[in-house]
């Protein structure tokens, strides 16, 4: 019994996902396949990296996480398999695993080059189905990392947004908007605590003032603008019972600032 | 082999759902997890209650149904586990199980309070992952209801819409619109039969006249406005080959009236 | 361990799909159920036929493929079960399997008429749940085709678009748009090769000129308009890093022409 997860930009309910599942089940009929998400925006590597980084740690040890957001498919970009203490991660070498390392350091990195583990015919536009799916299936059956291809020294990283900290200010940015319209920021609970926060900081999202920091949505009144630490430990901007992204017109990249009051 | 179903308002293809699945599989690796739906509108408890009530009865005995539409997450609202003759239902105590009781009476109701069955760290915004998922996994492994927490005497109900009946009129309302644009009403086949319906009642949806009652879509011509009893036994308004909700501008709450002709 | 796939027009994350899964698991608890897609447009038989034809061949032998796009549900249209060398296909007899035959010829065709294999009560609007799901489950448990009902001589076909070929021109049409906005055409790699293509044909999509034929997206610059053979062997129109359907205003039926330059 092994678990293989899928994270792609193919779209919810895409038949491309089903093609990957068919390939996996053809080689590893008893694999349990779990969708992390297929709603990553087209070619949005950062969004894929974030979804994968937040979801992967909740899976049992030995889970094989496959991520395919792959604008460079069919070009010279490498396909990689990375081993951490608990998991396998397979992805194109384009930074898509860059959020994972923040929690799970890489132990061994392999280039996926052994064609005997791929589909017999490999298309130039769908390596998810023709390379990543069969390699994941083979790993789930016990193939060793060394069999996939040579060790790699370097893999590509991603530009992960880090908050700016000063005595008076902690400034991050919106990095995602979830289906409730909550705007998730680059500020983690650790960043916040290390900043030695005041009792009630002034909170600005762009130029819009946020009312206050709360522990959960139900601690504020309907319609109140709040920030809170969400379920992945990141500061989120929410409108209670509403949609913060719509009501405050928030997009990725919007600056979020916490300030000591004068 | 046990089955755990999930009904949430997290959005189709949400990575939050995957986090719940990871937790469940970490504790109960052989569980079969089935999505009922994740497309419930944000915080729309009634829509969740309806989807769950209509889908749950089709699952095998001993299925564990987990529903998370949870505006009060992290506040004093209780988390509950309810046993019926055939199933377990886990949900926040906010009426989300209120549609289930119409078909499956509760036999035993438990407060989910035993923290040893929860995740070691519990966020204040995502009890689906931190409480409901691990408790469902433990139940699937055979933990007894009494282990979850104390018996509850009362749980919260939901205001379930009931049609108004008189000799001349049967009046219900639109309670959901499906992906085909069919508008599903609160009038069940039983309500209809108990009313001793005339051969061809006059049918009004708001002020718009519906052509006739049919047995299935194909019994009418393309574009005809019909009502019929849908697959969950509820009267539906449909436009054959079209989208009734769009064409007749139907929303939840719209009144639907059947009348004896004078 | 057997695999049952589902292809429907019920909408992503539809609770109707969950009802089918509940029925299947009630009869065949160890079946692995895989969604091909539920995002087929309402009653769009051709789109369902295409998604199924492209995804089905990637599944292991003995997979049971169930497809439900069924505008004639509850009327006199037949329900059919077709055996190919590798698979079972179950669908309403309305052409929905018409794309499959291009790759997997039918070996035996059965009318699904044996009511002892259906749900005890059959609705007139949801045969996916009441007929196809239980019959698929029974097939997965080893029931013979002959048990389902009598052999059929003829089943309905679908009007599959075939390119027009002349010495100077190969003309097909857009048959689908994927979630990346790539427009997939009726021209396959085989059609193209049989045409003895020139080195660099002139490419027109409606009246819009396409820059060139490439092997994969990354072979062209951002924003370039290209055609390439996609992962199902069909010629696709793409805008690199963009959305061809939006930018070129492409819809199904748009004519795509390859011409020898004078």
């Amino acid at each position: 019994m092994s678990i293989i997860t899928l994270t792609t930009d193919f779209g919810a309910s895409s038949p491309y996902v089903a093609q990957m599942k068919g390939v996996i089940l053809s080689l590893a009929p008893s694999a349990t396949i779990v969708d992390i998400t297929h709603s990553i925006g087209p070619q949005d590597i950062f969004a894929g990296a974030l979804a994968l980084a937040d979801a992967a740690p909740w899976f049992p040890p030995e889970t094989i996480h496959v991520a395919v957001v792959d604008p460079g498919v069919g070009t010279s970009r490498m396909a990689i398999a990375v081993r951490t203490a608990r998991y396998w991660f397979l992805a194109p070498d384009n930074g898509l695993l860059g959020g994972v390392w923040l929690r799970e350091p890489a132990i061994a990195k392999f280039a996926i080059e052994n064609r005997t583990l791929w589909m017999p015919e490999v298309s130039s536009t769908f390596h998810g189905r023709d390379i990543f799916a069969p390699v994941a299936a083979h790993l789930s059956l016990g193939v060793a990392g060394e069999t996939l291809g040579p060790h790699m020294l370097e893999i590509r990283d991603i530009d992960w947004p880090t908050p700016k900290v000063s005595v008076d200010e902690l400034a991050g940015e919106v990095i995602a908007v979830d289906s409730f319209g909550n705007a998730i920021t680059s500020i983690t609970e650790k960043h916040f605590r290390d900043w030695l926060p005041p009792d009630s900081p002034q909170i600005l999202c762009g130029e819009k003032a946020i009312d206050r920091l709360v522990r959960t949505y139900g601690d504020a009144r309907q319609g109140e603008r709040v920030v809170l630490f969400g379920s992945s430990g990141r500061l989120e901007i929410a409108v209670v019972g509403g949609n913060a992204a719509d009501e405050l017109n928030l997009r990725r990249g919007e600056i979020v600032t916490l300030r000591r009051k004068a």
Side-chain angles (χ1 to χ4, degrees), chain A:
Chain A
M1 284 287 301
S2 51
I3 296 170
I4 296 172
T5 78
L6 305 179
T7 302
T8 79
D9 61 351
F10 298 169
S13 201
S14 162
Y16 295 141
V17 175
Q19 296 182 27
M20 289 182 68
K21 292 180 180 175
V23 168
I24 291 169
L25 292 171
S26 295
L27 292 163
S30 66
T32 296
I33 306 173
V34 182
D35 300 302
I36 288 185
T37 182
H38 303 292
S39 294
I40 300 302
Q43 283 104 41
D44 189 342
I45 293 168
F46 176 76
L50 181 63
L52 180 63
D54 282 356
W58 299 97
F59 282 82
E62 301 312 311
T63 293
I64 298 160
H65 295 290
V66 178
V68 186
V69 178
D70 196 6
V73 61
T75 65
S76 60
R77 73 101 186 88
M78 305 288 291
I80 57 175
V82 180
R83 180 70 214 193
T84 66
R86 296 194 294 161
Y87 304 124
W88 277 107
F89 291 91
L90 309 188
D93 185 21
N94 61 15
L96 188 53
L97 303 181
V100 167
W101 316 142
L102 307 176
R103 292 199 179 97
E104 296 252 343
I107 290 174
K109 295 167 277 196
F110 301 93
I112 298 177
E113 292 190 347
N114 179 354
R115 287 170 170 269
T116 65
L117 303 177
W118 303 3
M119 292 300 279
E121 279 186 64
V122 173
S123 70
S124 41
T125 59
F126 193 4
H127 289 187
R129 179 191 69 197
D130 300 332
I131 297 179
F132 293 108
V135 169
H138 285 297
L139 280 175
S140 81
L141 297 171
V143 158
E146 282 73 11
T147 311
L148 306 186
H151 280 273
M152 290 179 79
L153 295 177
E154 286 291 332
I155 60 177
R156 281 180 195 250
D157 214 338
I158 196 169
D159 204 15
W160 201 264
T162 318
K164 296 199 178 94
V165 194
S166 69
V167 176
D168 287 338
E169 207 172 279
L170 175 60
E173 64 186 277
V174 172
I175 58 175
V177 172
D178 74 11
S179 58
F180 296 95
N182 298 326
I184 295 156
T185 76
S186 57
I187 301 172
T188 65
E189 201 154 359
K190 183 171 185 326
H191 293 132
F192 183 70
R193 290 206 179 125
D194 289 350
W195 180 53
L196 294 174
D199 273 357
S200 59
Q202 186 187 6
I203 308 160
L204 284 171
C205 184
E207 310 209 329
K208 294 146 225 152
I210 304 295
D211 296 327
R212 58 188 172 118
L213 175 69
V214 295
R215 203 182 46 83
T216 187
Y217 312 109
D219 287 350
R221 294 183 309 279
Q222 288 287 309
E224 225 178 331
R225 299 168 177 187
V226 299
V227 294
L228 72 173
F229 286 99
S231 58
S232 294
R234 294 196 175 84
L235 195 76
E236 290 180 15
I237 300 151
V239 169
V240 178
N243 184 304
D246 286 354
E247 293 174 36
L248 301 171
N249 196 23
L250 301 178
R251 305 253 170 76
R252 224 156 84 185
E254 180 94 39
I255 301 299
V256 177
T257 314
L258 306 185
R259 268 189 209 143
R260 284 180 213 285
K261 283 175 185 161

